[in-house]
Amino acid sequence: NISSLSCSGSRSSKTFKPKKNIPEGSHQYELLKHAEATLGSGNLRMAVMLPDGEDLNEWVAVNTVDFFNQINMLYGTITDFCTEESCPVMSAGPKYEYHWADGTNIKKPIKCSAPKYIDYLMTWVQDQLDDETLFPSKIGVPFPKNFMSVAKTILKRLFRVYAHIYHQHFDPVIQLQEEAHLNTSFKHFIFFVQEFNLIDRRELAPLQELIEKLTSKDR
């Protein structure tokens, strides 16, 4: 029930959606730990590279789950500021407006408020991540042939949440002292999608200046 989610009261616990856990002891968990360790070194370009001998699909899968969790948490901190009233449309600045469609339940794109859009989006992503045929968590279960195109769609949509936060809610992010956290998360995300060419440049346009600023120091 989406309407109950739009009132901040039901979300005051400051988490937006349940975290997607990667099972401990699994190979994907090891990969996640590797990613966290290399991130700790502070070199993001190195941190996103495919580790030697690893499967690209699995690396993209683990990182996609991780970005979902990060964005979930970041958006969770500002849900009180993102309301039907403050954000009647899902936008990233005056030039970019997003309409929601998932191709199955909602085939024709609908115009909706940002909190509703983001709720649809995160629920949709969660459903994809929970689908064992798309994101197999067991060793030896192969990834489907269309895995990369699914991952690209997920990442393209997750980018829109970053874009909305930066354009419409950056002031509360600063007030909550979440700015460094947001920038680090977004920079990691951008380096990752650049490394494997996962999001079309046109889709990144709403944050192009920021992307250039964040990545120019690390060329």
Side-chain angles (χ1 to χ4, degrees):
N1 180 345
I2 291 181
S3 59
S4 68
L5 277 173
S6 59
C7 57
S8 59
S10 64
R11 287 202 297 220
S12 57
S13 63
K14 286 283 178 275
T15 49
F16 176 51
K17 292 238 170 282
K19 199 165 186 265
K20 166 81 181 154
N21 285 319
I22 291 176
E24 244 179 278
S26 68
H27 182 60
Q28 292 189 1
Y29 187 79
E30 296 303 311
L31 274 179
L32 181 65
K33 289 285 157 245
H34 170 87
E36 285 169 1
T38 52
L39 275 175
S41 72
N43 185 334
L44 285 172
R45 285 259 182 248
M46 295 287 290
V48 297
M49 288 176 181
L50 180 66
D52 283 349
E54 292 298 343
D55 175 50
L56 179 60
N57 285 346
E58 197 147 37
W59 183 238
V60 169
V62 165
N63 281 278
T64 301
V65 170
D66 193 31
F67 289 127
F68 169 76
N69 286 335
Q70 287 182 41
I71 292 167
N72 211 344
M73 219 161 60
L74 287 162
Y75 182 69
T77 62
I78 56 104
T79 48
D80 290 352
F81 304 94
C82 186
T83 63
E84 302 285 320
E85 295 72 42
S86 69
C87 305
V89 295
M90 173 65 177
S91 64
K95 284 198 293 204
Y96 301 96
E97 189 177 301
Y98 299 114
H99 297 177
W100 178 254
D102 59 13
T104 45
N105 300 325
I106 300 170
K107 292 193 168 66
K108 197 164 170 258
I110 56 167
K111 197 172 179 163
C112 54
S113 68
K116 226 169 219 131
Y117 184 102
I118 291 170
D119 190 67
Y120 279 136
L121 187 156
M122 297 303 264
T123 303
W124 176 83
V125 172
Q126 199 165 26
D127 289 346
Q128 310 299 303
L129 300 180
D130 286 340
D131 184 341
E132 281 288 327
T133 63
L134 284 175
F135 278 78
S137 59
K138 295 176 183 65
I139 290 187
V141 176
F143 282 84
K145 287 196 171 56
N146 65 333
F147 172 75
M148 271 303 169
S149 68
V150 172
K152 284 177 177 178
T153 305
I154 292 172
L155 292 164
K156 174 179 82 176
R157 289 178 170 172
L158 288 175
F159 168 83
R160 294 170 181 177
V161 185
Y162 281 120
H164 180 71
I165 295 172
Y166 271 112
H167 276 284
Q168 310 303 132
H169 302 295
F170 200 58
D171 286 345
V173 167
I174 291 171
Q175 283 158 22
L176 293 162
Q177 298 181 318
E178 286 283 331
E179 187 186 353
H181 184 184
L182 174 65
N183 284 346
T184 304
S185 173
F186 180 61
K187 192 171 170 180
H188 180 201
F189 178 88
I190 286 302
F191 280 4
F192 191 82
V193 300
Q194 284 178 344
E195 174 75 10
F196 303 106
N197 204 11
L198 298 168
I199 301 183
D200 194 313
R201 205 182 150 83
R202 279 177 319 211
E203 285 285 339
L204 300 174
L207 293 178
Q208 197 49 49
E209 280 176 35
L210 176 69
I211 291 168
E212 281 165 18
K213 198 172 110 186
L214 288 176
T215 57
S216 63
K217 295 192 282 289
D218 296 87
R219 284 238 159 78

